[in-house]
Amino acid sequence: MARIREFDEQKALTEAMYLFWEKGYEATTLNDLTTRMGIQKPSLYSAYGDKSSLFEAALRHYNQQHAKYARSKLNKITSVKVAFRNLFHDGVFPDGDHGRSGCFCINTMVELAPHDAKFEILTREHQQYLAAIFEDTLNRGVTSNEIDGTVDCRAIAQTLVVALIGITVLKKSNPSPEWIDNYIDSTLSLLASPLNGG
């Protein structure tokens, strides 16, 4: 008979997510994890596997929440342009992308993706999923006549994902509000006319 777990696995996974998000993979020790998660090492190994497997589970959890919140935030406002502006200003996580820690997925893309194929795929898939959410939102704007029907919504959606990555990284250095506003204005000007300028 399988032994019943004596802790909340989802809550513990969320704590691991925040810790990895704050410190990164290499700087986070097993002792850090067990302390933050409130469990012992045998329980960690039994529930999640090794450190790499736990990190993968934490990243997948983050990506799901990140995408869900992005879609919700974009769908909350009728104006597509205003919705994207708010998204770029506020970030794509309920707590403002965790202060100066940036985005967990972007951090992983920088730290692990260049030399670990599994995390290269996971971070790229998340970018593609965000692009699909953005494209849906842009198509909504075309349908409502807020956005020119001749724009290439897929190309702009992908561009907006790259821009979001850029602004999220930029925010880690605490830039001036003017930089942020100018960046967002320039990026969202893509929604005013077709990419080919026609």
Short mmCIF file of all heavy atoms in Angstrom, two decimals, residues 63 105-106 109 113 119-134 157-158 161-162 165:
data_model
loop_
_atom_site.label_atom_id
_atom_site.label_comp_id
_atom_site.label_asym_id
_atom_site.label_seq_id
_atom_site.Cartn_x
_atom_site.Cartn_y
_atom_site.Cartn_z
N ASN A 63 5.54 28.17 -15.97
CA ASN A 63 5.11 28.47 -17.34
C ASN A 63 3.59 28.39 -17.48
O ASN A 63 2.97 29.20 -18.18
CB ASN A 63 5.78 27.52 -18.32
CG ASN A 63 7.25 27.84 -18.54
OD1 ASN A 63 7.73 28.88 -18.11
ND2 ASN A 63 7.96 26.95 -19.20
N CYS A 105 11.30 31.87 -16.44
CA CYS A 105 11.56 31.20 -17.71
C CYS A 105 12.72 31.86 -18.46
O CYS A 105 13.59 31.18 -19.01
CB CYS A 105 10.30 31.18 -18.57
SG CYS A 105 10.46 30.24 -20.10
N ILE A 106 12.74 33.19 -18.47
CA ILE A 106 13.84 33.90 -19.13
C ILE A 106 15.16 33.63 -18.42
O ILE A 106 16.20 33.40 -19.06
CB ILE A 106 13.56 35.41 -19.18
CG1 ILE A 106 12.34 35.71 -20.05
CG2 ILE A 106 14.77 36.18 -19.72
CD1 ILE A 106 11.88 37.15 -19.99
N MET A 109 16.30 30.36 -19.51
CA MET A 109 16.76 30.44 -20.89
C MET A 109 18.22 30.90 -20.94
O MET A 109 19.02 30.39 -21.72
CB MET A 109 15.87 31.40 -21.67
CG MET A 109 16.19 31.53 -23.14
SD MET A 109 14.93 32.51 -23.99
CE MET A 109 15.07 34.09 -23.16
N ALA A 113 19.46 26.91 -20.85
CA ALA A 113 19.12 26.53 -22.22
C ALA A 113 20.31 26.39 -23.16
O ALA A 113 20.31 25.50 -24.02
CB ALA A 113 18.11 27.52 -22.80
N PHE A 119 15.94 22.07 -21.34
CA PHE A 119 15.48 23.40 -20.95
C PHE A 119 15.47 24.35 -22.14
O PHE A 119 14.71 25.33 -22.14
CB PHE A 119 16.32 23.93 -19.80
CG PHE A 119 16.11 23.14 -18.54
CD1 PHE A 119 17.11 22.32 -18.03
CD2 PHE A 119 14.88 23.17 -17.89
CE1 PHE A 119 16.89 21.56 -16.90
CE2 PHE A 119 14.65 22.42 -16.75
CZ PHE A 119 15.67 21.60 -16.24
N GLU A 120 16.26 24.06 -23.14
CA GLU A 120 16.14 24.82 -24.40
C GLU A 120 14.75 24.63 -24.98
O GLU A 120 14.09 25.60 -25.39
CB GLU A 120 17.20 24.33 -25.40
CG GLU A 120 17.07 24.95 -26.78
CD GLU A 120 17.93 24.25 -27.83
OE1 GLU A 120 18.92 23.60 -27.45
OE2 GLU A 120 17.59 24.35 -29.01
N ILE A 121 14.29 23.38 -24.99
CA ILE A 121 12.97 23.07 -25.55
C ILE A 121 11.86 23.67 -24.69
O ILE A 121 10.92 24.29 -25.22
CB ILE A 121 12.79 21.55 -25.67
CG1 ILE A 121 13.74 20.99 -26.74
CG2 ILE A 121 11.34 21.20 -26.00
CD1 ILE A 121 13.84 19.47 -26.75
N LEU A 122 11.96 23.53 -23.37
CA LEU A 122 10.92 24.03 -22.49
C LEU A 122 10.77 25.55 -22.57
O LEU A 122 9.65 26.06 -22.59
CB LEU A 122 11.22 23.63 -21.04
CG LEU A 122 10.86 22.20 -20.64
CD1 LEU A 122 11.32 21.91 -19.22
CD2 LEU A 122 9.36 21.96 -20.77
N THR A 123 11.89 26.25 -22.62
CA THR A 123 11.80 27.72 -22.69
C THR A 123 11.31 28.16 -24.07
O THR A 123 10.54 29.11 -24.18
CB THR A 123 13.14 28.37 -22.35
OG1 THR A 123 14.18 27.84 -23.20
CG2 THR A 123 13.53 28.12 -20.90
N ARG A 124 11.74 27.47 -25.11
CA ARG A 124 11.27 27.82 -26.46
C ARG A 124 9.78 27.54 -26.61
O ARG A 124 9.05 28.34 -27.21
CB ARG A 124 12.07 27.05 -27.52
CG ARG A 124 11.71 27.48 -28.95
CD ARG A 124 12.65 26.87 -29.97
NE ARG A 124 12.58 25.43 -30.00
CZ ARG A 124 13.61 24.61 -29.72
NH1 ARG A 124 14.78 25.11 -29.38
NH2 ARG A 124 13.46 23.30 -29.77
N GLU A 125 9.32 26.43 -26.06
CA GLU A 125 7.89 26.11 -26.14
C GLU A 125 7.05 27.17 -25.44
O GLU A 125 5.97 27.52 -25.90
CB GLU A 125 7.63 24.73 -25.51
CG GLU A 125 8.07 23.57 -26.37
CD GLU A 125 7.83 22.23 -25.71
OE1 GLU A 125 7.61 22.21 -24.46
OE2 GLU A 125 7.84 21.21 -26.41
N HIS A 126 7.57 27.68 -24.34
CA HIS A 126 6.82 28.72 -23.62
C HIS A 126 6.74 30.00 -24.45
O HIS A 126 5.70 30.66 -24.50
CB HIS A 126 7.46 29.00 -22.27
CG HIS A 126 6.66 29.94 -21.42
ND1 HIS A 126 5.35 29.72 -21.10
CD2 HIS A 126 6.99 31.13 -20.83
CE1 HIS A 126 4.89 30.71 -20.35
NE2 HIS A 126 5.86 31.58 -20.18
N GLN A 127 7.82 30.35 -25.11
CA GLN A 127 7.81 31.52 -25.99
C GLN A 127 6.76 31.34 -27.09
O GLN A 127 6.01 32.27 -27.41
CB GLN A 127 9.19 31.72 -26.63
CG GLN A 127 10.30 32.06 -25.65
CD GLN A 127 11.67 31.78 -26.25
OE1 GLN A 127 11.85 31.81 -27.47
NE2 GLN A 127 12.64 31.47 -25.41
N GLN A 128 6.71 30.14 -27.65
CA GLN A 128 5.76 29.87 -28.72
C GLN A 128 4.32 29.92 -28.22
O GLN A 128 3.41 30.39 -28.92
CB GLN A 128 6.06 28.49 -29.34
CG GLN A 128 7.39 28.46 -30.08
CD GLN A 128 7.83 27.05 -30.45
OE1 GLN A 128 7.34 26.06 -29.88
NE2 GLN A 128 8.76 26.94 -31.38
N TYR A 129 4.10 29.46 -26.99
CA TYR A 129 2.76 29.49 -26.43
C TYR A 129 2.33 30.92 -26.16
O TYR A 129 1.18 31.31 -26.44
CB TYR A 129 2.70 28.65 -25.15
CG TYR A 129 1.29 28.41 -24.67
CD1 TYR A 129 0.34 27.84 -25.51
CD2 TYR A 129 0.90 28.77 -23.39
CE1 TYR A 129 -0.96 27.63 -25.09
CE2 TYR A 129 -0.40 28.56 -22.96
CZ TYR A 129 -1.32 27.99 -23.81
OH TYR A 129 -2.62 27.79 -23.39
N LEU A 130 3.25 31.74 -25.64
CA LEU A 130 2.92 33.15 -25.44
C LEU A 130 2.61 33.83 -26.77
O LEU A 130 1.68 34.63 -26.86
CB LEU A 130 4.09 33.88 -24.76
CG LEU A 130 4.30 33.63 -23.28
CD1 LEU A 130 5.53 34.40 -22.80
CD2 LEU A 130 3.08 34.01 -22.45
N ALA A 131 3.37 33.48 -27.80
CA ALA A 131 3.13 34.06 -29.12
C ALA A 131 1.73 33.70 -29.61
O ALA A 131 1.05 34.52 -30.24
CB ALA A 131 4.18 33.59 -30.12
N ALA A 132 1.28 32.47 -29.33
CA ALA A 132 -0.06 32.05 -29.74
C ALA A 132 -1.13 32.86 -28.99
O ALA A 132 -2.15 33.26 -29.57
CB ALA A 132 -0.25 30.56 -29.48
N ILE A 133 -0.90 33.11 -27.71
CA ILE A 133 -1.83 33.92 -26.93
C ILE A 133 -1.87 35.35 -27.48
O ILE A 133 -2.94 35.95 -27.65
CB ILE A 133 -1.41 33.93 -25.44
CG1 ILE A 133 -1.57 32.55 -24.83
CG2 ILE A 133 -2.21 34.98 -24.65
CD1 ILE A 133 -1.01 32.42 -23.43
N PHE A 134 -0.69 35.89 -27.77
CA PHE A 134 -0.62 37.24 -28.33
C PHE A 134 -1.32 37.32 -29.68
O PHE A 134 -2.01 38.29 -29.99
CB PHE A 134 0.83 37.68 -28.46
CG PHE A 134 1.52 38.00 -27.15
CD1 PHE A 134 0.91 37.75 -25.93
CD2 PHE A 134 2.80 38.52 -27.14
CE1 PHE A 134 1.54 38.04 -24.73
CE2 PHE A 134 3.44 38.82 -25.96
CZ PHE A 134 2.81 38.58 -24.74
N ALA A 157 2.93 39.17 -33.18
CA ALA A 157 2.86 38.43 -31.91
C ALA A 157 4.25 37.93 -31.51
O ALA A 157 4.66 38.05 -30.35
CB ALA A 157 1.89 37.26 -32.05
N GLN A 158 4.98 37.38 -32.46
CA GLN A 158 6.33 36.89 -32.16
C GLN A 158 7.25 38.05 -31.77
O GLN A 158 8.07 37.94 -30.84
CB GLN A 158 6.89 36.14 -33.37
CG GLN A 158 6.15 34.84 -33.66
CD GLN A 158 6.51 34.24 -35.00
OE1 GLN A 158 7.26 34.82 -35.79
NE2 GLN A 158 5.97 33.06 -35.28
N VAL A 161 6.57 39.07 -28.22
CA VAL A 161 7.19 38.16 -27.25
C VAL A 161 8.66 38.53 -27.04
O VAL A 161 9.14 38.61 -25.89
CB VAL A 161 7.06 36.69 -27.70
CG1 VAL A 161 7.91 35.78 -26.81
CG2 VAL A 161 5.61 36.24 -27.67
N VAL A 162 9.37 38.78 -28.13
CA VAL A 162 10.78 39.19 -28.02
C VAL A 162 10.88 40.50 -27.25
O VAL A 162 11.75 40.67 -26.39
CB VAL A 162 11.42 39.34 -29.42
CG1 VAL A 162 12.83 39.89 -29.31
CG2 VAL A 162 11.43 37.99 -30.14
N ILE A 165 10.36 39.89 -23.55
CA ILE A 165 11.59 39.35 -22.96
C ILE A 165 12.58 40.47 -22.70
O ILE A 165 13.18 40.57 -21.62
CB ILE A 165 12.21 38.28 -23.89
CG1 ILE A 165 11.32 37.04 -23.95
CG2 ILE A 165 13.62 37.91 -23.42
CD1 ILE A 165 11.72 36.04 -25.01
#
